[in-house]
Amino acid sequence: MARFQRDRSVDGEQKTTALELFYDLVFVFAVTQVSHLLLDHLSWTGLAHAAIVLGAVWWGWNYTTWATNELDPESPVVRGLMLVLTLASLLLAVAIPEAFDGRAGLFVGAYLALQLGRSAFLTFAVAPAGTLERQRASRILIWFACSGVFWVAGAVADGHARAWLWVIALAIDYGAPLTLYRVPGLPRLTNRAWDVETSHFAERFQLFVIIALGESVVATGATTSELHLDAGRLTAFVVAFAGSAALWWLYFTYVARIAERRLALADEDRVAMARDGYTYLHVLLVAGVIVAAVGDEVVIAAPAERLGGAELAAVVAGPALYLLGHALFRLRMAGSLSVKRLTGAAGCVACAALGAVAPALVVAVAVVVVLAAVIASEEVAAARRTARGEPSPLERLQATTQP
């Protein structure tokens, strides 16, 4: 039996602890750093760099979430581990603005300390020899050690070589769960090697969406407070807030609760569903919020000017990516397509055509109108179901017996 495990015999759902919230505080800063990196280098190269950095930040947070889903947060040893991981994550965030310049070594060192340190702890401190827990933790450690070669090589390299080496490292890191951490010569693992406490697991990812949305509100507020305020900028700020509120509404009104319930009802597919729907697809939602926040800052800075190609792309692509992520999330969790959200994603992209003839504020308003239209169409559909006496999708799921 592994040490430092959560007591699953306790009745009731497990909730996020104060220690985990303290850990999450670092990622408010990390998300801010990623958005500033993109805003300061708003180009295809800057987008690629921001995507690589976000990939590392997300993967570091995500693996810690999987670990704390099983570890006992009241254990002094686990608390010590979490504080060390928090420090490593903070150093990672500090290095983000110069990750492709003078702080590449700090960025890679912090990332590897986070991933290798946690995996080594799970392998040698938590899991006794011969247990399934050690088998899975040791394989994860091996995969991170392999990708670490490319992370270190990228830190030593310069220019485009650094980016490509880090892309290879991320491909190894992101590909590992899909292979169930297959290591030649060792027995294969199955999804049964992992266990997911659904209420805690889903809540953790919901909170990261809140982190991203909170950062977008802080960023737009900070940008607005530093500029001369006139009617155009105040209007742009209101529109930015409306956009952030719409993104919140789209996720937390139905999606978060329905997805959590579907995860709870899954049995054989639960670990794979958690991996695909949360570990992989939620990064699209976070990326969409970050890009949308950058677009908001661009519009607030110059609401009456026409946008260049990169700036225009940020304004429309963030919400579009967010809606696309929702559609893919629903497809994985429920097996059905959300036509409304896919149409909304296409509508956001179509708003880019306005950029050729209209100022930034008009484009931003059009994007928010599209988001509002998606919300309105879903609310109308819900009202019609109620009028017909039909249960909502969530009510149908809640009526299903717990597994």
Side-chain angles (χ1 to χ4, degrees):
M1 179 66 182
R3 295 182 285 267
F4 314 124
Q5 296 290 90
R6 284 179 183 260
D7 184 3
R8 295 292 177 88
S9 65
V10 177
D11 292 335
E13 297 179 343
Q14 298 177 17
K15 296 297 183 180
T16 298
T17 64
L19 178 61
E20 291 171 299
L21 293 175
F22 180 70
Y23 175 72
D24 286 351
L25 289 176
V26 172
F27 289 87
V28 177
F29 176 51
V31 170
T32 300
Q33 293 283 72
V34 174
S35 65
H36 285 177
L37 176 65
L38 179 57
L39 184 63
D40 294 340
H41 304 85
L42 203 49
S43 64
W44 288 114
T45 299
L47 177 61
H49 288 181
I52 291 170
V53 167
L54 176 61
V57 168
W58 175 257
W59 219 233
W61 179 88
N62 162 69
Y63 267 75
T64 300
T65 295
W66 276 86
T68 55
N69 190 247
E70 296 190 10
L71 295 178
D72 177 13
E74 300 302 321
S75 165
V77 176
V78 173
R79 287 187 171 189
L81 169 70
M82 285 294 292
L83 292 176
V84 171
L85 297 179
T86 301
L87 177 59
S89 302
L90 183 59
L91 290 172
L92 178 73
V94 166
I96 285 174
E98 301 293 328
F100 288 87
D101 294 306
R103 291 182 178 174
L106 177 60
F107 181 78
V108 167
Y111 178 76
L112 292 181
L114 178 64
Q115 302 289 41
L116 293 175
R118 184 199 320 100
S119 299
F121 175 84
L122 293 173
T123 301
F124 301 111
V126 172
T131 61
L132 178 61
E133 288 81 5
R134 177 166 287 195
Q135 289 183 44
R136 71 187 191 192
S138 63
R139 284 162 174 73
I140 294 173
L141 181 60
I142 291 170
W143 275 82
F144 275 129
C146 291
S147 70
V149 174
F150 293 94
W151 281 111
V152 173
V156 174
D158 292 318
H160 293 303
R162 173 174 295 170
W164 282 113
L165 286 165
W166 284 356
V167 167
I168 294 172
L170 279 176
I172 295 172
D173 285 346
Y174 276 68
L178 296 176
T179 71
L180 292 177
Y181 306 96
R182 178 80 173 100
V183 175
L186 296 179
R188 291 179 180 270
L189 297 175
T190 68
N191 285 328
R192 288 292 186 182
W194 286 266
D195 188 19
V196 176
E197 202 290 316
T198 55
S199 60
H200 173 263
F201 186 84
E203 183 184 25
R204 297 294 293 124
F205 283 84
Q206 292 163 17
L207 286 173
F208 203 99
V209 175
I210 285 289
I211 287 172
L213 289 169
E215 188 281 330
S216 70
V217 172
V218 171
T220 54
T223 297
T224 305
S225 67
E226 294 173 356
L227 297 171
H228 170 70
L229 295 182
D230 54 24
R233 285 203 173 106
L234 284 174
T235 303
F237 176 74
V238 172
V239 171
F241 175 78
S244 296
L247 298 184
W248 172 86
W249 188 298
L250 286 162
Y251 183 78
F252 286 98
T253 300
Y254 300 111
V255 172
R257 290 178 292 166
I258 291 174
E260 180 180 343
R261 183 61 178 158
R262 287 194 175 276
L263 185 64
L265 292 172
D267 185 14
E268 296 290 335
D269 194 38
R270 180 179 298 165
V271 171
M273 183 180 287
R275 178 198 65 198
D276 299 342
Y278 288 91
T279 294
Y280 286 123
L281 292 178
H282 265 60
V283 72
L284 296 181
L285 306 184
V286 173
V289 173
I290 291 174
V291 176
V294 170
D296 289 339
E297 292 190 67
V298 167
V299 174
I300 291 171
E305 297 180 11
R306 291 186 185 177
L307 298 174
E311 291 84 358
L312 183 61
V315 173
V316 303
L321 179 61
Y322 187 78
L323 289 171
L324 175 62
H326 276 242
L328 294 174
F329 185 48
R330 172 173 166 174
L331 181 63
R332 179 61 184 93
M333 302 300 286
S336 61
L337 276 174
S338 174
V339 175
K340 296 181 180 67
R341 300 202 178 199
L342 283 175
T343 302
C348 289
V349 173
C351 290
L354 290 172
V357 295
L361 182 56
V362 172
V363 178
V365 169
V367 170
V368 172
V369 168
V370 171
L371 296 176
V374 174
I375 292 171
S377 65
E378 292 180 346
E379 292 297 328
V380 167
R384 288 174 176 172
R385 279 195 303 269
T386 301
R388 293 193 298 266
E390 298 176 2
S392 69
L394 181 59
E395 289 170 337
R396 287 196 297 268
L397 287 171
Q398 288 174 336
T400 305
T401 303
Q402 285 278 5

